[in-house]
Amino acid sequence: MKVKEYLKNKLKQGAVHITLIDPSRQLPEAAGRLARTAQEVGSDLVLIGSASAAGQRVLLETATAVRKKTTLPVIFLPAGSDSISFNLDALLFLSMLNSRNTRFVSTAHARIALVLKRLAVETISAGYILIEPGMKVGELGEADLIARDNPWSAIGYALTAEFMGMDYVYLEAGNGAAQPVPAGMIRAVKRELSIPLIVGGGIRTAADARRVRQAGADIVITGTVIENAGYRERLRSILSALKE
Ligand code: 1GP
């Protein structure tokens, strides 16, 4: 089944959780184990990606190790890195709408679009909107970060993504952010939006996940939480808060 179809079906049942694995943070074998744990505790999909330049080799080895250990769909997030893997179920085709550098909006995409088509890679498009603090991906992506108290700007970009025909809107506080995207901003965007809303960055506890979900996130992405000791239980509690 296509990943887009899979996600659509999952969304009909409730909130969706995505586990982000950064190939530059652990050895491929450990990444495989994390993916298996994520599946065991109820995560719906694995996303492999990094804001830093994970080498091509480590990316491919991570993708292979993850695929070996999980039956979940595995998709690739090319943000920030020049490495690419086609050995996955789909590619999250992100356009960073509030970047000052067209490379992150569409230029890098134009360079690989024909290859993606020829290789019949499934692409899932999303308007990627960076909210303060934005962390490394905001910095590398030269984002004009949206202030945390400016929901109007977030609404404007989110509707831009919808009107451009993208599949999803993705509000990102940044990998390792101290706090998630503010609930008020998520609520304001959700109120205006007709396409599914992805929220990520800084979600580390069940309470964070619940707040983000109740504010209107359809899909929640967590990364850092699996990089610390006791991650299985943490992830389990995030999952039960999301699926309750
Ligand atoms: C995905 O960048 C996030 O949107 C992941 O952020 O590592 O803070 O969970 P965390």
Side-chain angles (χ1 to χ4, degrees):
M1 195 196 329
K2 290 246 184 200
V3 178
K4 240 186 249 183
E5 224 30 55
Y6 169 85
L7 281 173
K8 210 182 266 174
N9 290 338
K10 284 276 171 190
L11 283 168
K12 279 187 202 145
Q13 297 157 31
V16 166
H17 178 263
I18 296 182
T19 299
L20 172 70
I21 294 183
D22 181 339
S24 68
R25 299 272 176 95
Q26 66 284 295
L27 293 172
E29 214 181 276
R33 283 197 299 272
L34 292 179
R36 170 171 291 178
T37 304
Q39 177 163 20
E40 283 167 1
V41 302
S43 188
D44 301 294
L45 193 141
V46 176
L47 178 63
I48 296 185
S50 175
S52 39
Q56 183 67 38
R57 186 157 153 209
V58 97
L59 173 63
L60 290 179
E61 286 177 2
T62 300
T64 307
V66 165
R67 293 204 72 155
K68 242 189 242 162
K69 295 283 185 174
T70 173
T71 54
L72 291 177
V74 184
I75 66 175
F76 178 59
L77 170 91
S81 138
D82 283 331
S83 311
I84 190 154
S85 170
F86 299 115
N87 171 33
L88 297 170
D89 297 304
L91 190 136
L92 193 53
F93 207 62
L94 294 180
S95 174
M96 192 186 286
L97 297 178
N98 56 334
S99 172
R100 293 183 301 278
N101 184 339
T102 57
R103 174 180 166 207
F104 301 99
V105 183
S106 62
T107 316
H109 313 58
R111 281 197 210 112
I112 58 166
L114 186 58
V115 179
L116 295 174
K117 183 177 165 83
R118 292 285 186 263
L119 293 176
V121 175
E122 181 183 356
T123 51
I124 300 172
S125 62
Y128 195 36
I129 304 167
L130 273 288
I131 316 296
E132 285 176 342
M135 308 305 283
K136 194 162 183 184
V137 68
E139 196 184 308
L140 292 177
E142 296 171 51
D144 238 338
L145 296 176
I146 295 180
R148 295 176 68 81
D149 61 357
N150 187 357
W152 300 108
S153 176
I155 291 172
Y157 279 111
L159 286 178
T160 298
E162 179 177 330
F163 296 163
M164 283 178 163
M166 293 181 179
D167 298 313
Y168 295 97
V169 164
Y170 182 172
L171 298 182
E172 170 75 279
N175 184 232
Q179 290 170 332
V181 176
M185 181 180 281
I186 298 171
R187 206 168 293 118
V189 167
K190 182 65 183 174
R191 206 175 293 133
E192 305 297 340
L193 201 65
S194 311
I195 56 175
L197 180 60
I198 305 173
V199 178
I203 300 162
R204 264 187 275 301
T205 63
D208 291 337
R210 194 173 296 116
R211 211 170 299 125
V212 161
R213 168 62 178 161
Q214 284 174 354
D218 299 292
I219 300 180
V220 170
I221 304 189
T222 64
T224 307
V225 82
I226 52 162
E227 290 164 13
N228 298 312
Y231 68 87
R232 176 185 286 268
E233 280 324 304
R234 291 245 203 155
L235 201 54
R236 197 193 296 281
S237 67
I238 286 176
L239 259 302
S240 52
L242 281 179
K243 308 273 181 178
E244 69 195 9

